[in-house]
Amino acid sequence: MVGIDTHSDTHHVAVVTEYGKPLADQGFPTTAAGHREAFTFITGFGLVLQVGMEGTGTYGAALTKILQGKGMQVIEVNRPNRQQRRLKGKTDSLDAYRAAHSVIAGMSTAVPKAKDGPVECLRVLRASRGSAIKSRNATINQIKGLLVSAPEALRSKYQGLTTGTMIEIMVRSRPSGHLADPSYVTARVLKALAVRYQHLSAEIEDVNAQLQDISESYAPMLQQLTGVGTDVASQLLVTFGDNQERVGNEAQFAALTGAAPVPASSGKTSRHRLSRGGDRQANCALHHIVLVRMNIHRKTKDYVTKRTEEGKSKREIIRCLKRYVAREVYRQITHPVPAPPVLDLRPLRHSLGMTLQQAATDLQTWPSTISRLERGKMRDDELLDRYRTGLHQRA
């Protein structure tokens, strides 16, 4: 059994027997030659059963791919327990041995992400998109901050305008004056920031288009679920990973996304609470789906009403809905179910002389929801069945 503590410049490798007896440990540089030396060191003590490694997705990503390419089973190991580190100390050697012992004890069983397919492309694009969004937010905040203390003539020029209109006017502006004039310098800086804002917006739109293309080619039916758009779908796929076998069932996926219920009972109280573990970005994606469905999805609305009458709080209801959504997303990723055909709905409605408003009134929903349903831009099988049944009854 092997344990590896990874760092940016060096990896420390420890080898133990299958019963946990230490054999040897040594550090190696994080270079191609160092990885070859580490592999030679690992295989020099006999058959390798498993390799426990910290940071398989960061510092240890390159070594993980090499060992997996050689047919070794690599297990992802979490950071050592802080209490244990305080009691027994911390060195690279001790961390490497702890990694091996945690695999022997069965405390670490997670399979690392493959990072060799379309999902890895999504992860890289999302990282670029996240930094661009953060920079764009900082840019518009700087613009508004400068306008607060800008000269009155400049401040009144942009007062009451929307962000888009204000940016367009700033980009088209032609400041004139000298560098000793605060009004002129402020106008120049505002124009430069507005140009930066437009460039970042164009970059974000380009990345969104690439995310859309990859998501539709890799998991085309995931976005057919109600409340799942490109951003949500890409995040859930990144959390799931390229190698789907690393998540064995929907319960593991729920725990991975922080949607699994956590027991919080005591005495006469029997309840569950929200999970604060798992991938928080994936949990945020599930939260977004739930909020959308609570506004437009009839079945979800009925569920919220029912659970509210039972005395459940809004937080508890959202926690339950997240669990249901996690199950639905897992099944759609692993065993996708195509959406029912919808191309016949609009011609049938037109033949009956019905408007979108009339159809929406009959179904107690919004006209925009009916329009998106007819165009295949959203998926709601229950609403679709009621809509098609109502149209056929009128016919």
Side-chain angles (χ1 to χ4, degrees):
M1 307 292 285
V2 179
I4 304 178
D5 182 33
T6 60
H7 300 279
S8 60
D9 298 323
T10 60
H11 295 334
H12 203 93
V13 181
V15 181
V16 302
T17 66
E18 57 182 321
Y19 304 107
K21 180 181 177 181
L23 295 178
D25 66 274
Q26 186 175 336
F28 300 93
T30 56
T31 60
H35 292 155
R36 289 193 296 268
E37 293 174 3
F39 177 75
T40 303
F41 176 77
I42 290 171
T43 56
F45 295 88
L47 177 65
V48 179
L49 299 179
Q50 287 179 320
V51 178
M53 184 185 302
E54 292 184 24
T56 57
T58 52
Y59 295 137
L63 184 57
T64 298
K65 292 181 179 179
I66 293 174
L67 297 181
Q68 288 178 334
K70 299 293 184 178
M72 295 185 182
Q73 183 183 6
V74 181
I75 303 298
E76 187 173 356
V77 177
N78 293 327
R79 291 174 54 190
N81 183 276
R82 289 188 176 184
Q83 183 179 9
Q84 186 181 17
R85 285 167 56 179
R86 284 196 297 268
L87 293 175
K88 297 185 178 181
K90 180 190 183 306
T91 63
D92 293 346
S93 176
L94 288 176
D95 286 346
Y97 278 116
R98 285 173 186 149
H101 291 153
S102 68
V103 175
I104 296 175
M107 298 173 60
S108 300
T109 58
V111 178
K113 291 183 179 179
K115 293 197 170 189
D116 56 359
V119 173
E120 178 63 10
C121 300
L122 290 176
R123 186 190 68 82
V124 175
L125 287 172
R126 285 187 60 84
S128 171
R129 177 178 176 272
S131 63
I133 290 176
K134 185 179 295 185
S135 299
R136 187 176 67 173
N137 291 340
T139 300
I140 191 61
N141 288 337
Q142 285 179 326
I143 291 175
K144 293 180 178 180
L146 287 174
L147 286 176
V148 170
S149 57
E152 177 61 29
L154 194 61
R155 185 172 66 251
S156 60
K157 181 179 178 181
Y158 301 108
Q159 192 170 9
L161 299 179
T162 63
T163 298
T165 304
M166 180 176 64
I167 293 297
E168 289 291 340
I169 295 176
M170 287 181 179
V171 171
R172 294 197 304 265
S173 64
R174 296 290 184 270
S176 59
H178 54 85
L179 293 179
D181 182 7
S183 180
Y184 167 67
V185 173
T186 303
R188 285 190 58 177
V189 171
L190 288 174
K191 179 175 180 177
L193 290 174
V195 171
R196 183 190 305 174
Y197 183 92
Q198 282 192 336
H199 288 167
L200 290 170
S201 297
E203 179 182 344
I204 293 170
E205 290 178 3
D206 181 58
V207 173
N208 286 337
Q210 296 177 57
L211 289 173
Q212 178 75 13
D213 292 341
I214 297 175
S215 299
E216 288 183 348
S217 62
Y218 182 70
M221 299 181 189
L222 182 57
Q223 295 189 50
Q224 294 180 359
L225 299 178
T226 304
V228 179
T230 302
D231 184 46
V232 170
S234 61
Q235 176 57 59
L236 293 173
L237 289 173
V238 168
T239 301
F240 204 92
D242 280 300
N243 44 334
Q244 296 186 2
E245 66 278 3
R246 67 187 292 268
V247 184
N249 52 59
E250 53 92 10
Q252 292 181 0
F253 179 71
L256 182 63
T257 57
V262 178
S265 303
S266 177
K268 298 180 180 180
T269 303
S270 178
R271 60 180 291 270
H272 291 79
R273 66 165 175 83
L274 288 167
S275 171
R276 295 178 178 85
D279 188 334
R280 304 316 300 170
Q281 294 298 322
N283 189 272
C284 180
L286 294 180
H287 190 82
H288 175 82
I289 297 174
V290 169
L291 293 182
V292 171
R293 293 188 176 187
M294 289 173 69
N295 286 326
I296 67 173
H297 194 235
R298 170 62 58 183
K299 194 173 181 180
T300 303
K301 289 182 177 181
D302 294 341
Y303 178 83
V304 171
T305 302
K306 175 186 173 183
R307 299 294 276 178
T308 302
E309 293 174 351
E310 293 176 358
K312 296 290 184 181
S313 66
K314 186 176 180 180
R315 286 170 59 89
E316 290 175 319
I317 295 173
I318 291 177
R319 191 263 306 165
C320 295
L321 287 171
K322 282 183 181 179
R323 183 64 179 84
Y324 290 133
V325 171
R327 179 183 296 117
E328 187 178 358
V329 168
Y330 175 83
R331 292 175 179 174
Q332 190 72 351
I333 293 176
T334 55
H335 300 93
V337 178
V342 295
L343 297 179
D344 61 318
L345 296 177
R346 178 169 291 181
L348 181 57
R349 177 173 60 80
H350 287 169
S351 66
L352 296 174
M354 291 181 62
T355 64
L356 281 175
Q357 183 62 53
Q358 291 173 335
T361 302
D362 291 343
L363 297 173
Q364 297 181 350
T365 186
W366 297 99
S368 59
T369 301
I370 301 299
S371 176
R372 294 177 61 211
L373 189 68
E374 291 179 344
R375 291 180 288 120
K377 297 299 183 180
M378 66 168 289
R379 179 171 180 176
D380 188 337
D381 294 349
E382 185 266 340
L383 178 62
L384 178 61
D385 290 339
R386 290 195 295 123
Y387 185 29
R388 178 173 280 114
T389 301
L391 292 177
H392 284 298
Q393 287 177 349
R394 283 177 173 265

